[in-house]
């Protein structure tokens, strides 16, 4: 399966984030999955690619051409696709994958997660979406989303459209066992009190 992984490009994080991303990359390759990612050499993107490469996994990097500078892109990709814009990059990553894993990240990663979750809520994709919650990074986001539900800005059903765990093996078990499902336009909000 082609698995898209979103994550930070920062090289200034605590070591645990890089270690867990590399572990995920290794496990992806060991399970026979192809990594689809943003092509970066550094940060969690680079770590997940390094892990997959160490296990001789298939790796598809996708990045805008303006990223093609020394020491920016991961040099051991099996295949690499260049785009003109970040928007095209995100679309290709979606088009070339069947499942999504979200690693800790900044605003770019948030944007990628919320877009794919919105598409699933609207019934436009049925792919697995899993969040690797390393070091409880996404706990505040989960609280934020629960508040969104509690305040009736979002259906509680939306919380069932993704899986979150702090163990890379559990994330991949979820993806391997996943039965495609989507949201429902008729259930965008709850009608219960």
């Amino acid at each position: 399966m082609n698995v898209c992984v979103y994550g930070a490009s920062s090289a200034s994080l605590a070591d645990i984030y890089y270690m867990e991303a590399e572990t995920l990359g290794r496990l992806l390759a060991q399970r026979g999955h192809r990594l689809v990612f943003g092509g970066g050499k550094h940060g969690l993107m680079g770590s997940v690619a390094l892990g997959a490469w160490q296990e001789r996994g298939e790796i598809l990097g996708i990045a805008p051409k303006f990223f093609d500078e020394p020491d920016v892109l991961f040099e051991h990709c099996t295949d690499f696709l260049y785009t003109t814009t970040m928007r095209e990059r995100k679309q290709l990553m979606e088009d070339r994958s069947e499942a999504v894993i979200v690693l800790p990240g900044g605003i770019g990663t948030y944007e990628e997660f919320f877009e794919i979750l919105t598409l699933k809520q609207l019934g436009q994709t049925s792919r697995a979406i899993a969040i690797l919650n390393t070091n409880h990074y996404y706990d505040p986001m989960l609280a934020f989303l629960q508040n969104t539900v509690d305040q009736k800005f979002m259906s509680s059903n939306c919380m069932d459209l993704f899986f979150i765990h702090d163990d890379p093996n559990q994330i991949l078990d979820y993806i391997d066992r996943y039965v495609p499902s989507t949201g429902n336009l008729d259930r965008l909000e709850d009608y219960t009190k």
Side-chain angles (χ1 to χ4, degrees), residues 113-123 125 127-131 141-142 144-150 152-164 174 178 181-191:
F113 166 66
F114 281 114
E115 179 169 333
I116 201 73
L117 180 62
T118 300
L119 290 172
K120 190 169 183 179
Q121 181 189 38
L122 296 173
T125 186
R127 70 190 62 209
I129 302 172
I131 299 173
M141 185 184 77
L142 286 177
F144 170 76
L145 289 173
Q146 187 57 55
N147 182 62
T148 306
V149 170
D150 294 345
K152 309 242 185 266
F153 285 92
M154 181 177 79
S155 167
S156 61
N157 297 324
C158 193
M159 300 295 280
D160 298 329
L161 297 178
F162 62 91
F163 175 76
I164 186 163
Y174 172 77
Y178 180 74
S181 67
T182 64
N184 183 327
L185 285 175
D186 296 330
R187 297 290 294 148
L188 288 181
E189 59 180 274
D190 291 325
Y191 296 102

Side-chain angles (χ1 to χ4, degrees), residues 35-47:
L35 170 64
V36 177
F37 83 119
K41 178 178 182 178
H42 301 288
L44 303 190
M45 281 195 291
S47 293

Side-chain angles (χ1 to χ4, degrees), residues 21-41:
E22 190 174 318
T23 296
L24 177 70
R26 275 197 228 99
L27 293 170
L28 274 168
Q30 288 169 5
R31 292 186 186 213
H33 297 302
R34 182 186 199 205
L35 170 64
V36 177
F37 83 119
K41 178 178 182 178

